[in-house]
Amino acid sequence: ELHINRAKADISKEIMSQSYEIKKISDITLAYARKLTNSQHGFVSSIDTDTLENVGHTLTDMFGAQCRVKDQRFSFPVGKDGTYPALWGVALNTKTAFFTNTPSSHAGAAGLPEGHIPLDNFLAVPVLIENEAAGLITLANSEHGYSSRDIDSVTRLSEIYALALHRYRYELERDSMENQLRQMQRIEAIGTLAGGIAHDFNNILFPLVGFVELLMEDLPAQSPLQESAREVMNASLRAKDLVKQILTFSRQGEQELKPLKLQVVIKEVMKLLRASIPKTVEFRLRIDEDCGQILADPTQVHQVIMNLVTNAHHAMQDKGGVLTLELEEVDIYSLKPEVIGLKPGRYALMTVSDTGEGIQAEVLDKIFDPYFTTKPKDKGTGLGLSVVRGIVKTGNGDIRAASTPGKGTTIEVFLPLISKAALDETQDPSNALPTGDESILLVDDEAAVLKVMTLMLERLGYRFRIPERPMQEAS
């Protein structure tokens, strides 16, 4: 009883400490558990809430110098059937403590791997949080064998250790939320700055494109200057596209929203890219033809798919591989319960995956940052995925990335579906240029913009007048 009370006091002290460390608390827990049961070996672990792996926090040298098992590991995965294997898995699967003094004949024994130390006896106690298995305390090779008294002692330890795991999970969740908040604030700040720069650049670009268009109209068709003017126009249009990408990233660009079938856009993109992607990359399409429609800008959706597919095949351009693009209709709260931050309803889930080199965990959360890229300097601007994220978020969707180094990367895009009742027939607008003889009031704070608009309107037959005071001086 004295040892139990001391253990509770020492563990409680660490739980309340500002310099909280789960490893230190696990060490204390294991030390007391071994002392209470006269055990030579053991380990203390917790269940990862995301992967469900049984992760060892502290272990005796049964996993060290004395162990001859090849490829030793301290994290043990859950089986495909949702249960944990071997003797230690019995306590997790049943949420019940147990001991055996004849491990080899126990019903849960699956045999020890070659090189494992011999087990004379074995005890395992699950650590429960709200009746869910959150961790495990295991012990082996007691000097006198185990009894129900040992089960009682370690169970009392597990109850105080459960509080430690509760705080551990809280700390992980808090850190994750803080990281997400910092990332959102960083992206928002960069987006505001990028949007301001893009709008200013548009004021420079607008008269440039306008004057080049007028020049091309005035130059004779056979003039050698036509080619130079076309090159200036092409460069200006490239700059215009870049500004559009920046505005999309900062969510300040104008959109032409219309009902859209993703199946059609996906097939168009794949048809366009097949010729440019090496034969060493195999395409696999899994498209649900019955997937509903989304409300989106077709150009932006085309850009999203192009960027994701291009990134995927770039990841496999050296060694080849398989590029898979899937589309399905899902209810995120029944089929994808891990997706948070989205409104309830049905979504189109587009998944682009590759079998390339994958992305290291330490940079995975940066891939949607503007100007961040893992490609060589001449292979990418770093804007692609940040623009994709801006488009998806503007459309009230979500985008997620998962990657395993050496095995590939998967990107999931969720876009909300529109109900059949909300579908409206759209009409193509006329491309005819308006002409007339009315008077138009021109107001702009850029003199060059006013000048080029004046010349264009005059050619269309309109009259114009400009306010006597510049716009910025008006009250």
Side-chain angles (χ1 to χ4, degrees):
E1 187 69 29
L2 179 62
H3 289 317
I4 290 289
N5 291 334
R6 285 179 178 175
K8 288 183 176 181
D10 289 346
I11 295 173
S12 298
K13 181 180 176 181
E14 292 300 325
I15 292 175
M16 301 300 293
S17 172
Q18 290 186 350
S19 57
Y20 171 88
E21 293 182 12
I22 189 62
K23 175 66 167 63
K24 187 175 182 180
I25 295 177
S26 300
D27 288 341
I28 295 173
T29 302
L30 180 58
Y32 274 108
R34 291 176 62 194
K35 189 172 184 178
L36 287 166
T37 60
N38 294 316
S39 296
Q40 184 179 1
H41 293 298
F43 68 86
V44 175
S45 61
S46 69
I47 303 300
D48 187 303
T49 55
D50 292 327
T51 66
L52 298 183
E53 283 196 341
N54 185 29
V55 181
H57 291 297
T58 187
L59 313 98
T60 61
D61 61 358
M62 67 183 293
F63 289 91
Q66 294 188 30
C67 184
R68 296 291 182 267
V69 176
K70 294 181 180 179
D71 301 323
Q72 293 183 43
R73 55 181 303 166
F74 304 130
S75 296
F76 304 95
V78 64
K80 293 182 179 180
D81 61 353
T83 63
Y84 296 93
L87 272 178
W88 59 265
V90 174
L92 291 177
N93 297 332
T94 62
K95 302 177 187 176
T96 304
F98 81 98
F99 72 88
T100 174
N101 291 316
T102 55
S104 60
S105 62
H106 190 274
L112 295 177
E114 184 179 354
H116 198 287
I117 65 169
L119 293 184
D120 300 326
N121 41 55
F122 185 86
L123 179 148
V125 175
V127 181
L128 304 179
I129 297 179
E130 296 180 352
N131 202 36
E132 291 296 325
L136 188 66
I137 300 176
T138 62
L139 299 162
N141 295 358
S142 171
E143 293 180 4
H144 307 294
Y146 294 112
S147 67
S148 58
R149 183 176 180 180
D150 295 314
I151 286 286
D152 180 64
S153 297
V154 179
T155 298
R156 292 169 69 182
L157 276 184
S158 74
E159 291 170 354
I160 190 70
Y161 187 70
L163 297 178
L165 287 187
H166 193 281
R167 178 174 175 181
Y168 176 62
R169 289 183 170 184
Y170 166 78
E171 299 281 355
L172 290 178
E173 184 177 354
R174 186 189 65 179
D175 290 344
S176 176
M177 293 179 65
E178 287 179 350
N179 289 335
Q180 291 180 28
L181 178 61
R182 282 193 292 269
Q183 183 180 19
M184 289 175 61
Q185 290 173 334
R186 183 171 67 250
I187 291 176
E188 183 179 358
I190 296 174
T192 302
L193 175 62
I197 294 173
H199 280 297
D200 287 342
F201 192 60
N202 254 345
N203 288 333
I204 300 172
L205 197 59
F206 184 89
L208 178 61
V209 173
F211 282 121
V212 173
E213 287 180 340
L214 295 176
L215 180 62
M216 293 176 70
E217 286 184 8
D218 294 340
L219 286 173
Q222 303 303 320
S223 172
L225 296 178
Q226 279 283 2
E227 183 177 354
S228 297
R230 279 195 298 271
E231 290 300 323
V232 174
M233 176 61 74
N234 290 337
S236 301
L237 294 178
R238 287 174 58 193
K240 176 184 175 183
D241 290 339
L242 180 59
V243 170
K244 185 176 180 181
Q245 287 191 38
I246 295 174
L247 287 174
T248 299
F249 158 70
S250 62
R251 307 187 196 182
Q252 298 180 29
E254 294 181 1
Q255 302 180 59
E256 182 186 358
L257 301 180
K258 60 175 64 176
L260 184 67
K261 290 183 71 68
L262 276 171
Q263 300 92 318
V264 176
V265 184
I266 290 173
K267 291 175 181 178
E268 288 178 354
V269 171
M270 300 307 287
K271 184 184 297 184
L272 180 65
L273 289 176
R274 278 189 184 277
S276 60
I277 294 180
K279 299 294 184 182
T280 54
V281 175
E282 177 188 348
F283 279 105
R284 292 181 184 174
L285 292 181
R286 297 171 185 155
I287 307 300
D288 179 6
E289 296 296 341
D290 296 326
C291 182
Q293 299 186 50
I294 63 173
L295 189 65
D297 184 319
T299 302
Q300 290 187 350
V301 173
H302 190 277
Q303 186 177 9
V304 166
I305 302 172
M306 284 283 288
N307 277 330
L308 295 180
V309 173
T310 299
N311 279 348
H313 91 73
H314 279 171
M316 302 181 290
Q317 60 185 355
D318 293 334
K319 299 180 181 179
V322 178
L323 192 159
T324 305
L325 200 161
E326 300 175 271
L327 176 67
E328 59 180 320
E329 183 175 321
V330 299
D331 184 331
I332 60 171
Y333 284 91
S334 61
L335 299 180
K336 293 284 180 179
E338 72 277 13
V339 179
I340 59 175
L342 292 175
K343 295 180 179 179
R346 300 196 66 79
Y347 285 74
L349 169 57
M350 182 174 64
T351 306
V352 179
S353 57
D354 64 70
T355 58
E357 293 299 323
I359 303 171
Q360 298 296 325
E362 57 267 23
V363 300
L364 185 61
D365 62 343
K366 300 178 182 178
I367 63 174
F368 296 112
D369 288 358
Y371 298 108
F372 177 84
T373 179
T374 58
K375 299 177 183 178
K377 291 183 178 180
D378 59 342
K379 297 295 184 180
T381 63
L383 274 176
L385 286 179
S386 62
V387 169
V388 167
R389 184 181 185 279
I391 293 173
V392 172
K393 289 292 187 179
T394 301
N396 298 317
D398 194 16
I399 183 168
R400 292 168 175 266
S403 185
T404 302
K407 294 186 178 180
T409 302
T410 298
I411 305 289
E412 290 185 329
V413 176
F414 295 85
L415 294 169
L417 297 175
I418 52 177
S419 63
K420 294 181 179 179
L423 294 175
D424 295 322
E425 295 184 1
T426 57
Q427 297 180 350
D428 294 329
S430 172
N431 292 323
L433 291 175
T435 60
D437 57 1
E438 296 86 0
S439 294
I440 295 178
L441 174 66
L442 291 178
V443 180
D444 201 281
D445 58 354
E446 291 287 337
V449 172
L450 284 174
K451 188 171 183 179
V452 71
M453 290 181 67
T454 298
L455 293 175
M456 288 181 169
L457 289 170
E458 284 180 335
R459 294 192 180 196
L460 295 174
Y462 293 97
R463 301 186 302 274
F464 69 93
R465 70 182 181 86
I466 301 174
E468 294 182 1
R469 289 185 300 167
M471 181 178 174
Q472 61 268 30
E473 296 180 5
S475 58

